[in-house]
Amino acid sequence: MTPDSDLIVIGGGLIGSALAWGAQRKGARVTLLDEGDVAYRASRGNFGLVWLQGKGLGHPDYMHWSIKAGQLWPEFSATLYEETGIDTGWRGGGGLHFCLSEKEMEARRHLIARSREEGAAIRIELLDREALSEIAPGIGPEVCGASISDLDGEVSPLLTLRALQNGFRKHGGRIVVDFTAEQVRRNRDAGFIVKSADGTEFSGRHLAIAAGLGANRLAAQLGLELGLRPERGQIVVTDRIAPFLRHPTNMIRQTREGTVLLGSSHEDAGFSTGTDMETVSGLCRAGTRLFPALRAARLVRAWGALRIMSADGLPIYDEAPDAPGAFVVTCHSGVTLASLHGLELGPALAEGHLGPAPRSMRSKRFALQTA
Amino acid sequence: MFEGRAIPFRPGQSLAGALMAAGVVHFRRTPVSGSERGPWCLMGICYECLLRVDGSDNQRACMTAARPGMKTERQDGARLDAAGEQA
């Protein structure tokens, strides 16, 4: 029995779809298994930032890895558009982190200095209120300034996901939907076999587990303890408004269509994807402090989604030690890192290695901490 | 009042209902193509019947009860008030 594909990817979110697209377009035969709408679907509740300023301080491998992803976004977005005609809505030109007090300004100065010391290939500057008003008119009286970086951008996560899956199909990839992977095992002839509850099986020479919070139990079957846990974030969205904000920011983003997203919170709510009035009103208050005119806007929807958090909050790129050829990819920055996952990591996994993924980001690091 | 014209209504009637009964079907122009739009779903979902009501943009006429003395206008393009701009 020979495997039906070179690579099986479990998980049709932004990570799995990027890996599958990247591998298939480089000539591998890939099967992408998607659980369907019963999954938690972090990729569909996302805020849509490609966010680099301050990311990975104190973790040089993660910092350089993320910055590389940021640098690849223009090429990634252009490639998806060429292949599928879908514009992901990527917009660069600098992200703003707002400061509402002198203390916060000081913290940003410190962050900028640290980023420079650690050799981050990103330019971050601090704008005072006057300079900020020029690029973001309409800021409220409490806004003291903002840091801005050249690499940050924003994107529609939904269109990115759609472009990746359309592109994957166009290259001849196979997507299997409503498939809940229950069991993964190694087979001497067929590589890896993934089985659902009803007994349907798919086989692949290599395997990538990108199943979000579902990765814990699948990876455990191959001897990897990931310890992923959910962290809820809530987002509020307004009705459509004339364009007033041309930069992505840490708290507020205006989509191309005109709606304004306010985010985001961090809560431990188990596996609940619900919303609560206290958080929603807090997000609205924060948004109207930044842009007082938003008081006139209508709140149209609010939702909760679950981030996939590792013990130290950093991504995990790993290979099962006793089952070489089986990989795990998980992170809570599926948008920012999508470019790197698609253009570089996917093709590497299809060839049976982790490619450029830093070795320090394996799951072994957690075992060392608890030892 | 709609665009300066008095519109009769019954108590409890929606703005959309009163305006349509008075023969008004063009409520707004879209921000993207500028095409004319009017009420469609009549239950608050489609956002086609948006009007400027007493100076506030993006008010859904189907979800707003008509009241005496209201000033309503066609909305030409995107919501401006929440963007910090004057109509």
Side-chain angles (χ1 to χ4, degrees), chain B residues 1-56:
Chain B
M1 298 281 276
F2 176 74
E3 300 282 328
R5 169 185 156 200
I7 305 287
F9 65 94
R10 295 187 196 155
Q13 199 172 13
S14 71
L15 268 180
L19 287 168
M20 286 195 293
V24 177
V25 290
H26 166 203
F27 279 47
R28 69 178 185 114
R29 281 186 190 279
T30 64
V32 177
S33 66
S35 67
E36 294 180 2
R37 297 294 166 87
W40 177 250
C41 76
L42 291 170
M43 59 185 197
I45 295 176
C46 75
Y47 282 71
E48 292 292 12
C49 64
L50 301 177
L51 290 177
R52 177 169 300 124
V53 178
D54 293 331
S56 286

Side-chain angles (χ1 to χ4, degrees), chain A residues 45 47-48 71 211 235 245 263 355 371:
Chain A
F47 197 65
Q71 291 164 340
I235 293 175
L245 181 58

